[in-house]
Amino acid sequence: MAAAYRSAIYRTPARPPGLAGHPGDPARLPRGTAGLTPRPHDLPARTVAETVTLVEADDWPADDRVAADLRQAAPSAEAAALRAALEVVGLSGLPLDTAVGPGGRLLSQGQRRRLATARAVLRRPRVLLLDEPVAGLDRPTAETLLAALCRALPETALVIAL
């Protein structure tokens, strides 16, 4: 059986006013559901993987080169596409043959974070979740990065935790 993610759509139950003990009675619902009854729906893992990309605040690349790290997202991408993704995130000066070291230790934290974001740019997801993508960047660099992401991914919904 294929893996699936469970999501829930909540609907307010029909509840006759003043009927204690009814399934929609707040006293009978689990804490925090506020009178809503979950209705599960299956979402295949493949659909989630093809739709959503998450760039975590602390990304740790493999001990390899920049090009190999980027090709995790786009295995058949040519060097020009890899350079374009690096340019979007402000790393155009980082050579593709640069070693990243174990856990990315040869890169700064900001470079690691932006390299992970460049991988996401190559995937071109419909939904991109970014966890603190501009942490540690000065304001002009942060604004440039966010504007460049919007231009590079016009069809992508960006969800950003700052």
Side-chain angles (χ1 to χ4, degrees), residues 16-92:
L19 183 59
H22 184 274
D25 184 347
R28 296 190 56 199
L29 294 172
R31 185 175 208 162
T33 58
L36 304 176
T37 305
R39 300 182 62 165
H41 296 273
D42 288 329
L43 188 58
R46 182 180 183 120
T47 300
V48 173
E50 291 171 351
T51 304
V52 179
T53 296
L54 168 65
V55 177
E56 298 182 80
D58 291 321
D59 182 79
W60 302 102
D63 184 10
D64 212 329
R65 307 262 173 213
V66 168
D69 184 77
L70 292 172
R71 285 196 174 104
Q72 290 178 37
S76 62
E78 295 188 15
L82 302 180
R83 282 191 208 91
L86 289 174
E87 187 171 340
V88 168
V89 299
L91 291 177
S92 58

Side-chain angles (χ1 to χ4, degrees), residues 25 28 55 64-65 77 82-83 90 93 98-99 101 106 113 119 128 131 133 136 141-142 153-154 162:
D25 184 347
R28 296 190 56 199
V55 177
D64 212 329
R65 307 262 173 213
L82 302 180
R83 282 191 208 91
T98 301
L106 297 178
R113 186 173 284 130
R119 276 197 315 265
L128 177 54
D131 184 16
T141 304
L153 302 170
L162 296 175

Side-chain angles (χ1 to χ4, degrees), residues 116-153:
T117 304
R119 276 197 315 265
V121 168
L122 287 166
R123 290 197 74 224
R124 306 193 71 73
R126 291 182 62 204
V127 178
L128 177 54
L129 308 173
L130 297 163
D131 184 16
E132 300 181 2
V134 296
L137 300 178
D138 59 66
R139 186 180 182 114
T141 304
E143 289 174 352
T144 300
L145 172 62
L146 294 176
L149 282 173
C150 290
R151 282 191 307 275
L153 302 170

